[in-house]
C-alpha cells in the first residue's frame, strides 16, 4: 500500500469563502487531503478582535462556510488559542507541513513573525493575496513609497490594470481521514442571547458567501445604474451593502470590480465610481499597513494636543439616537437596528460627535467597531480620522457639517428620518430636520411633544461650531 499523502492545512480568517480563494484553490490543487480550520484568537491572539455585532455575523458565516466545505467533501475545524501554537499542534498531530492562508493586511507584521515561528518548526507557510484589489506593495509613488493622498493612489492603482480574474470555487476536495478533535462552534456562544439584541439582523442580512453573491448581483442589476448620483441619498438604498460581506471576506473586491462590468447598457461613469469606492478600501489598508495603530494614534500628530472634552450624558444621547437632530438620530438608530449605517450619515454622525460634542474620535471609532457588522480595521479607523481631520488626506477640521442642512440636502423629503425615528413620522416635511423650530400647532398636529416624546437639541449647533473652531485654533498655534 502506498503511504498516505500528508494533509495540508488551510487557515481561514477574514476570508470566509470558497470562490476566489487563492489559498484554498492552491491547497486543493496539491491533491493532498485538506484540513480547513478557524482559530478563535481573542484579543491576546493579535489582530483586532471582532466586535459584538460582528460576533453574530461570524457565527452565521462560519456555519455557511462549514456547510459549503461539507458539500465538497471537506470540513471546518474550530480551535481556540494563540494562532501559532494551535497551528503547530494541528500540524504535529496530523503530519502536515504546509499551511495555506490569504494575507490579512491588518496584521502584516504578525503574519511575518508567525511564518518565522512555523518555519522554525519545519512548517512552510504559503500566503496569497485576495483581500484587496491589488497587492499594496505594488501601488507606490514614483519614489517607491506608499501614497498619502487618495487621488494619485487611485491613478496608480488604475495604471496597474484590472485586478486578476476571480477564481472559481473548487468543485471537490479530499478531506483528511484523521483530524484532531474540533471544538463546537455552537459552544462558542457568539450570537447574543440575553437579550437577543441581534434578532432583527437576520431579517436584513444573510451572512455567508451565497448571501454575498446575491447582494452583489442584486446591486449590479438595481443600484449600480444610478450609483454615482444616488449614493449620497440614504433613503434611496442605492449602494451595494456589500461591506459586511467584504469585511468577512465572503466576497473579494476583485469579484465586485469584475461583476460591475455586467451592467448592461450601463453608463461607464457609474461603474468607475463604484470601483473608485472599492479603491478607497485599498487606500485605507495601505494607511493601516504604514500605521498599524491607526485606530488609536492620530496620523497627524498635530492633533495629539487637541483639547477633547467628554460628557457622559452627551455621549449616551449620541449613541442612543437622542440628540434632537433628526438625521443624527436616524443614523444612530439605523446602526443599532441594522448593524449598518449609510455612508453619508456615518459622516454626519461622526462629525457631530467630534465637532459638535467635542468628543475624541476614538470613542466614536470604538462604538462603531462594536456595533457595525462591517467594522473593518482599516476603513473604520481611517474614516474616523478622515472626519476628525487628523487622518491622511482628511477633510479639514474646520469643515464642520451642519446636521440640519445636511439632512435637508440629502434626505429632502425626510423619508430616511421617518424610517428610523418613528416619533417624527407625522411631522411636516418643512420641519422634519428642524423640529425645534416648528410652531406649536404643527407639533401638536404631528403628535409631538418636544422634550418629552422627542428631545430638544442637546447642543446648539452654532455655538458648538464656534467652540470647536476655537479649540482647533488653540491646538495649531
Ligand atoms: P458602497 O457604496 O456600495 O461601496 C462598495 C464598497 O466600497 C464598500 O462596501 C466598501 O468596502 C468600499 N467603500 C465605499 N465607501 C467607502 C469609503 N468611504 N471608505 C472606504 N471604503 C469605502 N466602511 C467599512 O467597510 N467598515 C467600516 O468600519 C467603516 N467605518 C466607517 C466609519 C465612518 C465614520 C465613515 C464616515 C465611513 C466608514 N466606512 C466604513 C466607509 C463607508 O461608510 C462604508 O464602506 C459604506 O457605507 C458601506 O456601504 P456599501 O457597502 O453599501 O458601500
Amino acid at each position: 500500500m502506498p503511504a498516505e499523502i500528508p494533509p495540508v492545512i488551510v487557515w481561514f480568517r477574514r476570508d470566509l469563502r470558497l470562490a476566489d480563494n487563492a489559498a484554498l484553490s492552491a491547497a486543493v490543487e496539491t491533491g493532498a487531503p485538506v484540513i480547513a480550520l478557524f482559530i478563535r484568537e481573542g484579543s491576546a491572539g493579535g489582530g483586532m478582535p471582532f466586535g459584538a455585532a460582528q460576533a453574530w455575523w461570524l457565527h452565521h458565516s462560519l456555519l455557511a462556510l462549514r456547510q459549503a466545505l461539507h458539500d465538497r467533501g471537506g470540513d471546518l475545524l474550530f480551535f481556540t488559542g494563540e494562532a501559532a501554537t494551535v497551528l503547530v499542534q494541528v500540524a504535529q498531530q496530523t503530519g502536515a507541513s504546509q499551511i495555506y492562508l490569504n494575507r490579512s493586511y491588518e496584521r502584516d507584521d504578525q503574519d511575518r513573525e508567525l511564518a518565522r515561528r512555523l518555519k522554525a518548526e519545519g512548517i512552510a507557510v504559503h500566503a496569497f493575496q485576495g483581500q484587496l484589489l491589488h497587492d499594496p506593495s505594488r501601488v507606490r509613488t514614483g519614489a517607491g513609497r506608499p501614497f498619502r493622498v487618495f487621488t494619485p493612489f487611485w491613478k496608480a492603482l488604475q495604471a496597474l490594470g484590472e485586478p486578476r480574474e476571480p477564481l472559481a470555487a473548487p468543485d471537490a476536495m479530499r478531506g483528511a481521514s484523521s483530524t484532531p478533535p474540533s471544538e463546537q462552534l455552537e459552544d462558542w456562544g457568539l450570537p447574543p442571547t440575553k437579550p437577543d439584541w441581534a434578532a432583527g439582523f437576520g431579517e436584513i442580512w444573510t451572512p455567508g458567501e451565497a448571501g454575498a453573491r446575491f447582494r452583489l448581483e442584486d446591486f449590479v442589476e438595481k443600484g449600480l445604474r444610478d450609483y454615482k448620483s444616488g449614493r449620497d441619498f440614504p433613503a434611496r438604498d442605492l449602494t451595494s451593502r456589500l461591506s459586511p460581506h467584504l469585511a468577512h471576506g465572503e466576497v473579494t473586491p476583485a469579484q465586485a470590480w469584475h461583476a460591475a462590468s455586467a451592467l448592461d447598457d450601463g453608463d461607464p461613469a457609474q461603474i468607475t465610481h463604484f470601483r473608485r469606492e472599492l479603491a478607497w478600501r485599498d487606500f485605507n489598508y495601505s494607511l493601516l499597513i504604514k500605521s498599524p495603530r491607526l485606530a488609536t494614534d492620530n496620523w497627524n500628530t498635530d492633533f495629539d494636543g487637541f483639547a477633547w472634552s467628554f460628557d457622559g450624558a452627551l455621549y449616551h444621547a449620541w449613541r442612543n439616537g437622542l440628540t434632537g437632530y433628526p438625521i443624527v438620530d436616524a443614523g444612530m438608530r439605523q446602526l443599532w437596528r441594522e448593524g449598518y449605517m449609510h455612508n453619508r450619515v456615518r459622516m454626519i454622525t461622526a462629525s457631530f460627535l467630534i465637532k459638535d460634542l467635542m468628543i475624541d474620535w476614538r470613542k466614536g471609532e470604538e462604538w462603531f467597531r462594536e456595533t457595525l457588522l462591517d467594522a473593518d480595521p482599516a476603513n473604520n479607523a481611517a474614516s474616523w480620522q478622515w472626519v476628525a481631520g487628523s487622518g491622511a488626506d482628511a477633510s479639514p477640521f474646520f469643515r464642520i457639517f451642519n446636521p440640519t442642512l445636511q439632512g435637508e440636502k440629502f434626505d429632502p423629503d425626510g423619508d430616511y428620518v421617518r424610517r428610523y425615528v418613528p416619533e417624527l413620522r407625522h411631522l411636516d416635511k418643512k420641519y422634519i430636520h428642524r423640529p425645534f423650530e416648528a410652531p406649536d400647532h404643527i407639533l401638536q398636529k404631528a403628535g409631538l411633544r418636544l422634550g418629552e416624546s422627542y428631545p430638544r437639541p442637546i447642543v446648539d449647533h452654532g455655538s458648538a461650531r464656534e467652540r470647536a473652531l476655537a479649540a482647533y485654533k488653540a491646538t495649531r498655534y
Side-chain angles (χ1 to χ4, degrees):
M1 278 240 309
E4 198 177 319
I5 317 172
V8 295
I9 294 173
V10 177
W11 179 23
F12 280 94
R13 304 189 286 182
R14 284 194 189 243
D15 51 356
L16 306 177
R17 63 180 182 274
L18 301 192
D20 204 22
N21 185 329
L24 177 67
S25 292
V28 171
E29 271 164 28
T30 62
V34 171
I35 296 177
L37 53 86
F38 183 87
I39 304 172
R40 181 172 56 155
E41 295 173 83
S43 47
M48 283 258 190
F50 287 83
Q54 286 198 323
W56 174 88
W57 189 287
L58 181 64
H59 176 83
H60 293 285
S61 189
L62 288 170
L63 283 179
L65 179 67
R66 182 173 68 185
Q67 186 59 49
L69 287 163
H70 275 167
D71 293 346
R72 288 162 175 79
D75 197 1
L76 184 62
L77 307 181
F78 299 101
F79 300 97
T80 300
E82 195 251 342
T85 311
V86 171
L87 291 167
V88 169
Q89 271 169 5
V90 174
Q92 285 171 348
Q93 286 164 358
T94 59
S97 60
Q98 316 282 326
I99 293 178
Y100 289 77
L101 56 85
N102 291 303
R103 289 182 70 192
S104 164
Y105 298 98
E106 75 190 84
R107 38 188 294 168
D108 227 24
D109 46 348
Q110 288 163 13
D111 274 7
R112 271 193 292 277
E113 171 57 23
L114 178 114
R116 266 194 296 277
R117 275 182 66 187
L118 293 177
K119 195 171 167 207
E121 302 283 344
I123 303 165
V125 175
H126 305 276
F128 298 82
Q129 165 9 56
Q131 196 189 351
L132 302 178
L133 292 166
H134 288 285
D135 191 309
S137 64
R138 295 183 62 212
V139 196
R140 291 290 157 120
T141 63
R145 296 208 187 90
F147 286 96
R148 285 157 181 264
V149 179
F150 177 72
T151 304
F153 175 90
W154 170 228
K155 279 198 190 127
L157 185 136
Q158 286 173 293
L160 291 173
E162 306 246 303
R164 66 165 166 66
E165 282 291 333
L167 303 165
D171 291 330
M173 65 192 68
R174 284 179 66 188
S177 50
S178 150
T179 53
S182 164
E183 294 167 22
Q184 295 302 312
L185 173 63
E186 292 72 9
D187 292 342
W188 282 3
L190 292 174
T193 46
K194 288 178 194 156
D196 179 6
W197 46 261
F201 289 175
E203 290 163 22
I204 305 168
W205 302 101
T206 309
E209 195 171 5
R213 199 175 318 117
F214 173 79
R215 273 274 176 219
L216 181 55
E217 285 167 6
D218 193 57
F219 165 69
V220 172
E221 199 187 310
K222 298 182 191 147
L224 183 53
R225 190 171 311 282
D226 297 311
Y227 180 77
K228 187 167 180 241
S229 48
R231 62 182 287 275
D232 262 324
F233 295 88
R236 293 185 65 192
D237 286 328
L238 283 173
T239 67
S240 70
R241 286 193 175 226
L242 269 185
S243 50
H245 299 286
L246 280 164
H248 294 83
E250 297 166 355
V251 61
T252 61
Q255 286 174 309
W257 177 289
H258 287 286
S261 313
L263 178 70
D264 23 273
D265 67 26
D267 166 9
Q270 309 292 338
I271 299 179
T272 304
H273 205 90
F274 175 62
R275 290 174 171 167
R276 191 171 182 276
E277 294 305 319
L278 289 171
W280 265 103
R281 184 172 168 277
D282 273 43
F283 177 65
N284 289 339
Y285 268 94
S286 74
L287 300 179
L288 182 66
I289 292 168
K290 174 128 184 39
S291 170
R293 297 179 56 79
L294 200 59
T296 49
D297 297 0
N298 290 308
W299 175 278
N300 176 350
T301 50
D302 286 357
F303 277 77
D304 288 355
F306 195 93
W308 302 110
S309 71
F310 183 79
D311 178 322
L314 296 180
Y315 180 56
H316 187 264
W318 176 79
R319 280 181 19 168
N320 289 290
L322 292 170
T323 67
Y325 287 97
I327 193 80
V328 174
D329 295 339
M332 297 309 293
R333 296 189 203 184
Q334 179 183 25
L335 174 60
W336 185 250
R337 196 196 300 173
E338 299 180 3
Y340 176 87
M341 194 195 300
H342 186 277
N343 178 60
R344 167 60 49 182
V345 193
R346 290 187 205 205
M347 293 196 282
I348 300 170
T349 54
S351 172
F352 188 81
L353 182 80
I354 297 168
K355 297 172 187 177
D356 286 61
L357 304 185
M358 290 260 296
I359 293 180
D360 192 331
W361 62 266
R362 282 163 275 234
K363 295 295 287 178
E365 194 277 342
E366 240 172 68
W367 181 245
F368 271 31
R369 185 161 11 112
E370 199 59 13
T371 51
L372 274 172
L373 290 167
D374 66 25
D376 176 284
N379 270 358
N380 199 34
S383 302
W384 274 94
Q385 294 224 40
W386 185 89
V387 178
S390 62
D393 198 8
S395 170
F397 184 91
F398 55 78
R399 210 171 281 160
I400 297 180
F401 279 154
N402 177 322
T404 308
L405 299 182
Q406 285 284 311
E408 287 173 343
K409 183 166 179 195
F410 294 107
D411 185 30
D413 297 322
D415 293 342
Y416 177 77
V417 163
R418 288 195 182 85
R419 199 185 296 166
Y420 296 103
V421 188
E423 309 93 284
L424 300 179
R425 199 181 299 136
H426 302 297
L427 190 59
D428 197 281
K429 179 174 144 183
K430 188 171 168 200
Y431 295 104
I432 189 78
H433 291 290
R434 46 180 88 227
F436 41 88
E437 286 178 11
D440 285 346
H441 72 277
I442 298 276
L443 292 175
Q444 232 165 35
K445 199 171 134 215
L448 202 60
R449 292 181 313 282
L450 276 191
E452 290 178 38
S453 58
Y454 184 71
R456 295 181 199 285
I458 54 170
V459 287
D460 169 64
H461 173 69
S463 3
R465 183 173 180 278
E466 293 309 317
R467 184 175 76 134
L469 289 175
Y472 176 58
K473 211 167 161 207
T475 309
R476 296 187 67 225
Y477 303 108

